[in-house]
Amino acid sequence: MGNSHSHASAPGLDMHRAPRPLALPRKRSQAFSTLTLGCAPTPYAPSLPSYREYPIREDASVSDREEKRSFDPPPLYALSTTPDLHEDGAAVAYKAFLKHCPQYQLTWILDALRRSDFARLDRSGETYVDYMGGSLYPESLIRVHAGFLTRSILGNTHSVSNSSRLSAACATEARQAVLAFFRAPPGYTVVFTANATGALKLVGEAFPFTDGSSYVLGADSHNSVHGIRKFATARGAGVHYIESTPHGGVDVSEAQAVLTQHRPRGNRAPCLFALTGQSNISNAKNPLSLIEFAASQGYSTLLDAAALAPSSVISLTDTPVDAMAVSFYKMFGFPTGVGALVVKESFLARLERPWFAGGTVDVVQAPGTIVTLTSELHERFEDGTINYLNLPAITDGLRFLSAYLPFLPLRLSSLTRHLITSLSELRHDTTGAPVVQILSRQPSKVVRSVGEQSDSGSVVALLFLFPSGQMIPNSFVEYAAQQHNISLRTGCMCNPGGAAALLGLRQAMSDLPCDATLRAFEQRMGRELGVVRISLGLASDFRDVWRVIEFAKLMATDIARSALWEEWLGDKTGVAL
């Protein structure tokens, strides 16, 4: 009648809903525990919970239980203070880099991580610089998760069998791990979604917008944040933008002025403020203090942390936003298809879902109109069956990341600054003109110690230029990068407002016709639109940056660039030139 949980009839059993499954424990590998929680300084790494001991069936032997709950231990990490630099010139460049940035050596543990968990990068020869699109998974996380799946029987959580109870334990522990990782105080819960976009959509479709409501957001936001305006306008709310600065992000005083102007008044119609924690194209980090300011003005608050969470410490105790959206594959690479809305239960209770589904209800009258929702708030927002096979990897991935997160701001800011400086100094061999134009926000703060946070991300958005100063088509840059085994990204990154700000197209954006297409927009502008994005992350090291710089030097050399150009034209036309 409701969730259709499978169970046997018994005296006193509510036939409309099965009893809440008891969870079986899952034993973590001691090696994994020691590695991931022991190597990070205590002030920076949150303590992530393990399973509680739940009752298990009386006839299960000790060996059966241990087999069901055990993990394969990951390999021990080799200690090293320097990366393997086999390319000619890389070692010399690395020494010069360390003279200007000696604090980078404090992140040696990430060089060891590169060897142990990301050696496939160097075996394949691929330079991966698209971490904003998706992080790479550590090999030990895959081994641990595969070992657990191999030894376990996991069933649908909408039942009470032993296999379902184990799945329920995985889900419970994953929720607890998420709350602990983001330092959430009591009163928060976790709704598992397919990704951050799914989490943002849940808020947008269920927020009680009405006539007189306001939806305030920054122009430099992902399309998933812009998309909420469709729900807002459909219910009569006004949509109000905070303009992006020329280098992305918002100006604090302007943001406060817009929030003050459109705050709840009179009838106190519900208003929502969505803040992008970090732009995925401009590299700008917006001050989280705007969350507190908006709340003081009467707004409900929503944080898109998809780009912020992979390399920044987020404390919901310090920044008690009403709801926050994240994608786990952007944090530690695996699994894809699982995100979360980390949300205050009080805020969740105010949302009005437009429909119900399996897993969200207790009793449904059919035919009829009566619907009773499940008593668990988070279950009301998890449509159908959650991704229970992959939730154990969320728990272990967060434990993994917690060990290395303190080192990432120092490492990534050092590499980003070096990359920007080196690219900015490059000149064409024929005219002496700059090879690139850096568009994204550049770090202004020098991070000098482990645990210190950076004032920007590790994204470099740029254009490659011909010797004449004209823009080299991004499609050619992407082709040339592919030929040199560099994984980067080009385009507007699903962030049209941020891209328009960086490219100086805000007026052109405002003049778009209602039937605009990208092709027509590009024809009007007379060139391809978008940027080349290089983004660093968990497994990045000096070699990656050095190879990108060497690739840019190739683009500065007329003979090499012309040869690639001819190949590209031939590839496009299918005719060898």
Side-chain angles (χ1 to χ4, degrees):
M1 299 179 71
N3 288 335
S4 299
H5 293 171
S6 173
H7 56 80
S9 178
L13 185 63
D14 183 357
M15 294 297 295
H16 295 167
R17 182 171 177 83
R20 185 153 309 281
L22 295 176
L24 294 174
R26 179 173 70 106
K27 188 178 74 174
R28 293 167 53 209
S29 159
Q30 186 59 41
F32 196 78
S33 303
T34 302
L35 171 65
T36 57
L37 296 182
C39 66
T42 301
Y44 309 125
S47 176
L48 301 181
S50 300
Y51 281 128
R52 297 182 299 239
E53 290 296 326
Y54 292 92
I56 58 177
R57 70 181 193 274
E58 294 295 329
D59 60 340
S61 67
V62 173
S63 61
D64 287 340
R65 300 172 196 169
E66 293 301 307
E67 181 71 10
K68 176 177 284 190
R69 295 179 275 157
S70 65
F71 282 91
D72 280 342
L76 294 178
Y77 284 68
L79 300 184
S80 175
T81 58
T82 58
D84 293 322
L85 300 173
H86 299 300
E87 296 95 337
D88 292 339
V92 174
Y94 184 61
K95 289 180 181 178
F97 165 68
L98 290 181
K99 285 184 179 180
H100 290 92
C101 190
Q103 64 269 26
Y104 179 83
Q105 296 175 94
L106 296 174
T107 67
W108 60 266
I109 194 171
L110 295 174
D111 290 316
L113 178 65
R114 171 82 171 227
R115 283 191 176 90
S116 64
D117 272 75
F118 300 97
R120 63 188 185 277
L121 281 170
D122 301 307
R123 288 194 302 267
S124 68
E126 190 73 16
T127 299
Y128 187 83
V129 285
D130 189 23
Y131 286 87
M132 194 54 58
S135 185
L136 295 179
Y137 55 81
E139 293 171 13
S140 62
L141 176 61
I142 303 303
R143 281 192 293 268
V144 166
H145 186 59
F148 176 65
L149 292 180
T150 300
R151 291 169 168 78
S152 303
I153 307 298
L154 296 169
N156 193 309
T157 54
H158 295 162
S159 187
V160 293
S161 64
N162 285 334
S163 59
S164 297
R165 292 163 67 200
L166 182 57
S167 296
C170 293
T172 297
E173 188 183 35
R175 289 186 216 279
Q176 293 172 347
V178 172
L179 293 174
F181 185 86
F182 292 114
R183 306 176 187 185
Y188 277 88
T189 189
V190 175
V191 176
F192 287 117
T193 62
N195 43 41
T197 292
L200 293 166
K201 183 185 177 184
L202 277 180
V203 175
E205 70 179 6
F207 190 80
F209 290 114
T210 186
D211 290 337
S213 294
S214 295
Y215 175 47
V216 178
L217 69 159
D220 184 4
S221 298
H222 193 273
N223 275 335
S224 302
V225 177
H226 295 299
I228 294 176
R229 73 190 188 197
K230 294 284 287 184
F231 296 114
T233 55
R235 293 189 173 192
V239 176
H240 310 284
Y241 274 99
I242 304 167
E243 285 289 350
S244 171
T245 73
H247 293 290
V250 301
D251 176 80
V252 174
S253 59
E254 181 181 348
Q256 291 177 340
V258 173
L259 286 166
T260 300
Q261 180 181 356
H262 300 289
R263 65 187 176 187
R265 302 176 188 275
N267 61 358
R268 305 290 293 180
C271 296
L272 179 65
F273 170 53
L275 179 69
T276 296
Q278 178 185 316
S279 170
N280 69 334
I281 189 170
S282 72
N283 200 40
K285 280 186 177 181
N286 289 316
L288 298 186
S289 59
L290 286 173
I291 295 288
E292 181 179 0
F293 178 83
S296 72
Q297 299 297 304
Y299 287 86
S300 296
T301 54
L302 172 63
L303 177 63
D304 177 8
L308 182 66
S311 60
S312 301
V313 172
I314 300 175
S315 170
L316 294 177
T317 298
D318 297 335
T319 306
V321 65
D322 288 320
M324 179 180 74
V326 295
S327 282
F328 295 112
Y329 76 94
K330 292 198 174 186
M331 297 172 67
F332 40 83
F334 179 85
T336 55
V338 183
L341 183 71
V342 188
V343 57
K344 289 181 179 178
E345 292 178 327
S346 58
F347 176 74
L348 207 57
R350 299 200 305 271
L351 300 185
E352 303 167 352
R353 296 213 64 192
W355 83 315
F356 60 85
T360 68
V361 293
D362 191 20
V363 173
V364 175
Q365 183 187 45
T369 59
I370 297 173
V371 177
T372 304
L373 297 177
T374 176
S375 59
E376 289 286 345
L377 276 173
H378 65 259
E379 289 184 356
R380 297 180 185 181
F381 291 81
E382 292 176 340
D383 298 331
T385 300
I386 57 177
N387 194 343
Y388 61 86
L389 289 181
N390 280 330
L391 291 185
I394 302 302
T395 303
D396 294 321
L398 290 172
R399 288 174 179 143
F400 183 97
L401 184 59
S402 70
Y404 299 101
L405 187 61
F407 300 90
L408 287 175
L410 171 56
R411 187 177 188 86
L412 298 181
S413 64
S414 300
L415 292 174
T416 301
R417 293 173 68 90
H418 176 69
L419 178 61
I420 291 173
T421 300
S422 299
L423 292 176
S424 299
E425 292 173 349
L426 292 179
R427 295 294 182 269
H428 281 285
D429 62 349
T430 54
T431 64
V435 177
V436 304
Q437 179 185 0
I438 305 295
L439 302 174
S440 53
R441 182 166 298 190
Q442 302 182 27
S444 58
K445 174 185 176 181
V446 178
V447 180
R448 300 188 183 279
S449 61
V450 174
E452 188 179 353
Q453 298 299 294
S454 60
D455 63 351
S456 63
S458 53
V459 173
V460 180
L462 54 88
L463 298 177
F464 278 88
L465 306 175
F466 283 116
S468 63
Q470 291 182 313
M471 170 189 164
I472 297 178
N474 290 335
S475 54
F476 167 67
V477 175
E478 196 164 39
Y479 170 84
Q482 290 172 0
Q483 303 310 301
H484 289 82
N485 301 320
I486 296 176
S487 294
L488 49 73
R489 186 169 173 182
T490 65
C492 292
M493 317 305 158
C494 299
N495 187 334
L502 296 186
L503 295 169
L505 298 177
R506 283 185 289 185
Q507 185 58 49
M509 179 70 76
S510 65
D511 294 338
L512 280 177
C514 60
D515 60 347
T517 64
L518 177 59
R519 183 179 179 84
F521 197 7
E522 289 183 332
Q523 288 177 341
R524 178 184 169 196
M525 294 295 102
R527 59 185 173 88
E528 289 183 359
L529 297 179
V531 302
V532 176
R533 186 182 70 184
I534 299 165
S535 53
L536 308 178
L538 178 62
S540 296
D541 70 0
F542 181 80
R543 288 166 293 188
D544 299 323
V545 170
W546 181 79
R547 290 167 186 157
V548 171
I549 295 169
E550 290 298 300
F551 169 72
K553 289 180 180 178
L554 191 73
M555 301 291 280
T557 306
D558 188 63
I559 294 177
R561 186 186 64 257
S562 297
L564 280 169
W565 184 267
E566 295 299 319
E567 292 176 8
W568 175 62
L569 291 178
D571 189 69
K572 287 178 64 177
T573 61
V575 178
L577 300 178

